[in-house]
Every structure is written in C-alpha cells, then in structure tokens.
C-alpha cells in the first residue's frame, strides 16, 4: 500500500488521496448490501487525472473501481483496492441548441441536469427513482431507467456521443472526427475485433434474434450485446457497449444525450383492483394508450405506506388480495392532457375496480402519490428488525405473463419466510421490484437467502425467460447467474468483450462477470445496531446532495456508517483507536446539524440529531457546568459577546479584516457585523403583537455602523403596519437555547427555552382568556420555539410568515428591480414555509436569484466560527451562480447572513430590511 500511496501522491493533490481508515470505510460504502473497504480512495477531478491514475494502477497491477454517487444497489461500486471517486470537476453541463441535446459530465446529479433543462421544456430520458441523488456517471454506466423512460428513452437509446477513457489511458471522443480518426489508427485491432464480433453476431440469425428478444423488455444483465446487432460501425458498437458496463470496460468522462420532451401538464390516478390478475389485465389495456407511467403495487407495498399523510383512507381497509396501479398521463396542453386522461379511463372501462378511477391534476396530490411510491422501498427498510439488511431485487417478465409471474413471486417470498416482502414495479415494462429484509449475521440466514436466489433465477429464467436484472445493473449480486440467463454462447461474447477492453482485468473485477458461483454471498455488509435515531437508515445516499459537509468530510450516510462500525467494535471489544479520533472532526465537528438530510431521507432520519446526541455524550462535567452557567447568566454572555465584537472592529480598523481573519483562524469574517444593542419598548398604539428578538440579532448588529439593527427595523415595520410591538419582560437576558442544543446540551437548552416560554405566555396574555400573536426574527430559533410551544395556546410565527400573513396586506410596497439573491435557511426548508418567503420577496423585488447547488450555508450556529472551512465549502458554488449585477442578498437567520456576506462579498440582510426599504412612504411618493 505504501508504494501505491507514494505514487498517487505524485499525481494527485494531497487532499485527493485518502488513506485514513475512517474515510476509507465511510467513502467505500454504497447503497448495496455488500461491504468492501478500499485500500485507498482517490478523488479524480479531470480526464488527465483519470489517465494518470489508470497508468499507475496498470503499472502496479492494482484494480480500480469508479464511483459516482454510490446509490447503486447491486455491489458494482465497492472495492478492496483503489476506489476512484468522481469529483466536482466532472459536474459539467452544456445545453445544446434548442436543448435538443445536453452534454454532461459523470459528476453531475441527474436531477440537476433536469432542473437546467426544465427551463426549455426538456429532460434526459432516464428517470431512476434516485435521480435527485444519483449522478450521470452511474446512470450511464448502469443504463438506469425508471418509471417513465421504459426501454425507449434509456441511456442506450438516447446516446448521442461520449468521451471515454479506456483501460490503457486512451481517450476517445466519438463526437470529434479527429479523435475518431486517431483512434482508428491507434486501436485498429480493437475496432476490427468489435466489427468482426458484430458481423458474426448479426450473421447468426438465432443468436441475433435471441439478443433482440432479450432487449424487448428491460434488461441490464451482462453487457449490452444489443450493440452488436443494432450497429455496424465499430465506434458506435464501442460507445453503446459502454452503456451499462458498470465501469468494467472504461471510464465515461462525458456523455451527450438526446433530450426528450417534458410535458408541463400532468395528472395521476391511484386505482385499486380486487387482485393482481385484474390489475395486470388493466396494464395490458393501458399499454397501447398514451400513458407515461403505470406503477403496480401489491397489497403489502400499499400497507407499508398506507399511513402516510394525504393518502386515501380506503387503503387501510383493503383486503389482502388487492393491488393498485398508479397511473400518470402528460400533455403539452390542458386539452391534450384531458384527451389522454380520457383514453386511460377508456382502457379501464369494464375492468373491475374497488372505486371508480379518478385522475387528479393537483400538483400537490400527484407529487404525494409519487413520493409515496418512491418511498415503498425505504419504508420496508425503516420497519426492518435492527441488524437486518433491506434488499431490493428487480426482474422483468414479458408483459403477457406479468400477472402469473407476480403471483409466483409472492409465493416464493412466502415459501422462504420473507413474509414482510413487498412487490411493486414499472408495469408497462413488465418490470417488478421485490423488497425484503435479510439477516446476514448468521450462516443459516445466508443459506436461506442463497436458496431463495436460486429459486428466483429458476423462476425468472426457466419459467418465464425474463431478465434477472431489469434496471439496477448486474453488479456482484447477479454476476454468478449471467450465464444461466444468457447461455454459454452469449456469455462467451461478453467474456471476449471484457478481454478486448481490459486484458489485465483491472477495471472493477468481479462485477458483471464472475466465475465464483458464491460471489453473491460474500462480503455481505453488516448492519449492527448503533443508535435508535439512525438504525432505520438503509444507506441509500439520498441525503448526500443536501449536506453542507459532503465531500469536505462526511455526509449523513457516511456519519451513520462510521458510527455503526464504532458501535460494532465497541460491542465486540475491538479497538476503535484508528477511527475514534478522526470521527471527532470528520463526524461531529464539521456537521452543521442543519437537518436538511431529513427532508431527502425517505424515512425522515435527521443525522444532525445523532451528532447532537454524541456531542452531548462527549461533553465532560466541566462543559455542562459552563452550559448551566450560560443558561443562568445569558445576559452577561450577550454583553460579553457584544464587547468582543466591538474590540474586533477596533482591531480590524488597524490591521484589516483579512489579516484579522488569518490571526483568528478564520473566526473573524469579512463584513463582520457591528455589536448589537437592546431595542427599546414601543409606547404607541396599534394591534398588539409580541415580538421576541432572538439573541443573534441582539448580539450581532448591523452590517455597517450607520444601519439600524434588526430589532429596530422590525419594530419600525410593525408600527408602520399598524401593530403595537410588545417586548417580553427581561427578553434581553433570555435565549431559546438553540446554541446549547446544537452542542448536545439538551437539558440546559430546555431550561433556556422554558424561560422564554414563560416570558412569552406572560407577554401575550390579552387579559380576556386569549393571547396575542407572537413572532421571532431568526428561523432556527423560531422553529425550536414552535416545537416547544406545540400544544400551547400561543401562535408563534417566524418573521417571514408573519410578514406574509399579517403585514403585506397593510403595507404599500414599491418593488425594487433587483436582482437580489435569496438564501433559504435550512429551518425554513425543513418546515416547508419557503413558499411564503418567496412570495414576500417577490412582492419587493422584480428579479430574485436562488443560486443552484446551494443548500445549507454551513454556518450552523457557531460552526462557521469554530470550523470556518465548513462555511467556505458549503458555499463553494454560490460564486458562479451570482451575476456581477447582484449586489445584495437576503436570508432569515443572522449567522447565515454573516457567513453569506463573508463568502460572497455582498451584504446579506434579514428579509425585514428589504421589506422596510420597499414600504417606506417616501419611496412610494417618489414613484
């Protein structure tokens, strides 16, 4: 290993070569149920680095596996050798003329590509359920499909060109004539062999017909042999063999897709049928109709999600035989949509249903239906017994046999004791997923799984001539069964292809083709109990794109993986010394605790809660005494903080922000606010409203010395809107406790919030048995107090909520042209109140910019001061997203605004500043 590290250190920057045990474990884990820990993790940011890496691994004989997002389910993205993580240098996106094509790098998330294309009414064809987390590299390398794309719009069918780096380091750009000509000269033998394979395959009518038949339904088992019958040009054959090759033939460094239309009008119907046979009869009737997707759900899958909010109450009363179809239709116009709804309903006419089928065009209802459908797999994982693994398999059958095949699958699950198993799938393509839980900790359970998989292969291949892998890729899981499905002759073709491209067998060996008949039963991932908060995690990775520390240190998934192994080792008496010290920084110190991970997690796990729990455990008695003193003496803490800010500005006036920032280890920020001050009580008239200024706005004052503080601005606004602000008694000595709660000091934090609660109840009492409304001016604090006040008679709103509901109707607003940047605080995102924030901002500004790729700012209360690199990393994408004409920004949390100001060089203010400016009487008179 030392030799490998020495060589990698010469070709890659130090931060891109990862050898510590903690991150090798964490980064090496993917969504599958296999566990291999890489010898080293190398982050590659350019084609040149990939070529250099391949040269090194080829010289040393070290296998290399490329990894994009790690959402793969079949074990194709794990290794015990070199794991090459695709870096953000490959997160490129270039939209072609009329958006008819899009040229993308393997490091960009599929959902991000669709977001950019949506402005043109287009999208990429593949639509896997993980599209908001998985990356283009994985989508192409696995030929991932999904609910709508079928077999006509997957990567294979919509490929327009690619850049690929072969095992020997050669780069081929199929869209560049010079590159193609050069490749014909340098790799004539390879191209001649591919051309010969294509000619002999097409000449063999039986084999060619067999290949075409296999791809008439979804199929990702083995290599894309259809390339040999669909194309004659060897370059085309090569490019299409790369699709679905799972990194075993080369590295796709860029791919150009032909985009497909994204119809703006959509409708969905959730239709219940008395049994599977009737539901599948309906599918056959819907197949020729203009429907976009038809998802089949058996009763068990419906039961796994039936308690989700908003779903029809009838779901909880259905009999065990019932099945459902979730049907979607789309149209370019409302009229076209109606015609397609009518056509789908016509196909269902005469077919027995539990209730009359009805389509909904309400976006919220449709989104809820599909979100629930996508949550069936994680829902089973969340309900599994601690210590077990959730497994999802996907197979495909000829559509005419779908009903009997589904019943046979149900019978097999029962036969082998998987009574919790569920079945759902993309019915139009005969594609079924079945999900079950499995204990791999004892040999008898592994043996049960082995028997079940053998029976599955017999059922799918021998009885129905279907696909053992429809869209999840062969991986390690089905590699031993490729020959069973394809036969000796076709599998021989695959072995020849692998030999041509990778004669040393260094590219992801053991994946797709594996001579070990027990390979699918080895290197199984343990899922030990760690903490009840996170034991439901299935390590899918959906959380990662929202995490501000992802790719700086650890993501939520990687934190859970690390803590699970630390817990396992502790329970078994193994040493944790090699992981524990690094986990303090990578796992705890750099977690913003923002909770955004919970909004993407299918089962709502907040890894920040785990971080706070572990931080609290790690605090000694001295720390708890300090926390208790802080809770008892917060007024003194606030005064000392304001004094420190004042002294900091004195020092900054002498040496400058930049020098002071370096001297303070990044704790002093560019544009640091001045010291705040305590607002004075209002003595006038108006409708009473209780205003609690959060400590952030009381400690951190205005951005410049001549600006009003946030409490002053809000008081001015309230009076202007006809309200009488009431400040709670002793508010300047109170804090909601968020600052201590984020450090795991839950008990002391609750004492602080209890004191605030009592002050609010007293201030809001109207003397007639009712209470005045209450508002706060920091989203994070507002959300904490809303939770604490749940069930109390108080109505507490964050400022932007109160401004939307109660102030806008009372103010005369004059819009600014903008542009103004908007940063939606993570607390606002979690509570779903961002729509109100956007509406208030839209009332004030003509042009609003929300930087793509920026979620949590990473300031995390005091994290931006304690670990400033987290704030810098979280906002790394904001710079390119803000045009030079954008000179200011708004948010709803004071510390977020500090971090945003420091990183962007633009002043970020609370929303109240903008609303106050645009509602001034003199502005209205001028206009």
């Amino acid at each position: 290993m030392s030799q490998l590290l020495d060589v990698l250190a010469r070709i890659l920057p130090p931060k891109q070569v990862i050898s510590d045990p903690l991150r090798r474990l964490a980064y090496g884990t993917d969504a599958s149920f296999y566990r291999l820990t890489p010898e080293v993790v190398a982050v590659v940011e350019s084609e040149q680095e990939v070529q250099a890496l391949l040269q090194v691994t080829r010289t040393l004989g070290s296998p290399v596996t490329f990894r994009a997002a790690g959402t793969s389910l079949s074990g194709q993205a794990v290794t015990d050798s070199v794991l090459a993580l695709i870096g953000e240098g490959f997160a490129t996106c270039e939209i072609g003329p009329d958006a008819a094509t899009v040229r993308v790098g393997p490091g960009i998330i599929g959902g991000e590509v669709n977001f950019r294309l949506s402005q043109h009414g287009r999208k990429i064809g593949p639509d896997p359920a993980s599209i908001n987390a998985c990356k283009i590299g994985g989508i192409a390398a696995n030929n991932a499909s999904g609910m709508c794309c079928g077999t006509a719009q997957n990567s294979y069918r919509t490929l327009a060109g690619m850049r690929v780096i072969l095992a020997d380091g050669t780069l081929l750009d199929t869209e560049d004539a010079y590159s193609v000509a050069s490749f014909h000269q340098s790799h004539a033998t390879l191209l001649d062999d591919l051309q010969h394979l294509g000619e002999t395959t097409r000449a063999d009518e039986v084999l060619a017909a067999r290949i075409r038949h296999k791809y008439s339904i979804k199929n990702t088992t083995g290599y894309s042999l259809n390339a040999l019958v669909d194309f004659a040009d060897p370059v085309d054959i090569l490019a299409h063999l790369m699709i679905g090759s799972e990194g075993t033939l080369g590295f796709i460094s860029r791919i150009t897709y032909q985009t497909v239309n994204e119809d703006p009008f959509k409708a969905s119907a959730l239709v219940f049928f008395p049994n599977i046979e009737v539901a599948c009869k309906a599918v056959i009737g819907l197949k020729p109709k203009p429907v976009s997707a038809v998802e089949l759900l058996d009763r068990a899958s419906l039961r796994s999600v039936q308690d989700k909010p908003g779903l029809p109450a009838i779901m909880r009363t259905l009999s065990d035989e019932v099945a459902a179809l979730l049907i979607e239709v789309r149209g370019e116009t409302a009229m076209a949509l109606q015609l397609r709804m009518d056509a789908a309903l016509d196909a269902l006419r005469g077919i027995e249903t539990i209730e009359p089928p009805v389509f909904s065009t309400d976006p919220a209802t449709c989104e809820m239906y599909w979100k629930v459908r996508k949550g069936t797999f994680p829902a089973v994982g969340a309900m599994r017994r601690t210590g077990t693994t959730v497994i999802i398999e996907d197979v495909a059958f000829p559509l005419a046999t779908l009903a009997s095949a589904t019943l046979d699958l149900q019978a097999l699950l029962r036969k082998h004791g998987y009574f919790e198993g569920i079945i759902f799938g993309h019915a139009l393509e005969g594609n079924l997923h079945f999900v079950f839980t499995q204990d791999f900790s004892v040999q008898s359970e592994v043996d049960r799984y082995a028997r079940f998989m053998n029976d599955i292969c017999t059922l799918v291949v021998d009885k129905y001539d279907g696909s053992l892998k429809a869209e999840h890729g062969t991986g390690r899981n089905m590699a031993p069964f490729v020959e069973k499905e394809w036969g000796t002759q076709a599998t021989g073709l695959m072995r020849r292809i692998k030999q041509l491209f990778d004669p040393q067998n260094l590219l992801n060996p053991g994946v797709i083709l594996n001579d070990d008949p027990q390979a699918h039963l080895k290197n199984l991932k343990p899922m030990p109990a760690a903490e009840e908060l996170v034991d439901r995690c299935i390590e899918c990775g959906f959380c990662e794109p929202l995490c501000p520390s992802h790719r700086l240190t650890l993501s939520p998934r990687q934190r859970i993986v690390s803590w699970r192994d630390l817990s396992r080792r502790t329970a078994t008496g193994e040493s944790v010394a090699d992981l524990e010290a690094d986990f303090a920084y990578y796992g705890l110190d750099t977690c913003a605790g923002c909770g955004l991970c919970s909004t993407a997690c299918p089962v709502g796990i907040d890894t920040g809660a785990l971080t706070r729990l572990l931080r609290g455990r790690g605090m000694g008695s001295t720390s708890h005494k300090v926390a208790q003193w802080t809770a008892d003496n917060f007024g003194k803490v606030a005064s000392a903080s304001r004094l420190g800010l004042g002294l900091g500005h004195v020092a900054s006036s002498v040496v400058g922000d930049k020098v002071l920032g370096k001297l303070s280890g990044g704790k002093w920020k560019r544009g640091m606010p001045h010291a705040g001050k305590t607002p004075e009580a209002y003595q006038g008239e108006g409708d009473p409203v209780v205003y609690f200024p959060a400590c952030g706005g009381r400690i951190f004052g205005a951005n410049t010395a001549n600006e009003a503080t946030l409490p002053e601005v809000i008081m001015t606004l309230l009076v202007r809107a006809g309200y009488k602000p009431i400040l709670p008694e002793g508010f300047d000595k109170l804090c909601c406790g968020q600052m201590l709660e984020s450090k795991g000091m839950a008990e002391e934090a609750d004492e602080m919030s209890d004191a605030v609660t009592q002050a609010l109840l007293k201030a809001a009492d109207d003397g007639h048995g009712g209470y005045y409304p209450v508002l706060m001016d920091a989203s994070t604090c507002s959300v904490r107090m809303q939770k604490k006040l749940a069930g109390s008679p108080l109505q507490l709103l964050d400022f932007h909520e109160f401004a939307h509901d109660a102030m806008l109707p009372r103010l005369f607003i004059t819009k600014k042209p903008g542009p103004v940047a908007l940063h939606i605080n993570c607390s606002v995102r979690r509570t779903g109140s961002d729509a109100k924030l956007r509406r208030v901002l839209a009332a004030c500004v003509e042009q609003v910019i929300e930087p793509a790729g920026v979620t949590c700012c990473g300031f995390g209360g005091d994290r931006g001061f304690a670990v400033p690199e987290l704030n810098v990393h979280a906002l790394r994408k904001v710079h390119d997203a803000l045009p030079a004409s954008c000179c200011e920004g708004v948010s709803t949390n004071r510390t977020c605004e500090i971090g945003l100001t420091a990183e962007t060089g633009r002043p970020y203010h609370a929303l109240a500043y903008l609303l106050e400016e645009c509602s001034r009487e003199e502005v209205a008179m001028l206009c």
Side-chain angles (χ1 to χ4, degrees), residues 847-886:
Q847 184 184 2
V848 178
I849 296 174
E850 286 188 51
V854 179
T855 55
C856 171
C857 70
F859 216 88
D862 67 350
R863 293 293 88 191
F865 296 123
V867 280
E869 63 271 24
L870 176 59
N871 180 223
V872 174
H873 178 78
L875 294 178
R876 66 197 182 282
K877 297 180 181 178
V878 74
H879 308 285
D880 293 338
L882 295 181
S885 59
C886 183

Side-chain angles (χ1 to χ4, degrees), residues 14 111 116 154 215 238 240 297 358 368 379 411 449 504 552 555 649 714 799 805-806 829:
R116 300 187 190 190
N154 58 24
Y215 289 102
L238 184 153
H240 287 82
L297 299 102
V358 177
M368 181 266 297
Y449 173 71
Q504 289 182 266
L552 171 68
S555 69
H649 274 284
I714 290 180
F799 173 79
D805 296 350
R829 291 183 189 273

Side-chain angles (χ1 to χ4, degrees), residues 546-566:
L546 295 180
C547 178
S549 63
H550 180 41
R551 290 297 179 101
L552 171 68
T553 52
L554 300 181
S555 69
R557 166 171 63 176
Q558 292 162 352
R559 286 185 170 90
I560 293 172
V561 166
S562 302
W563 186 245
R564 276 177 168 160
D565 203 57
L566 281 164

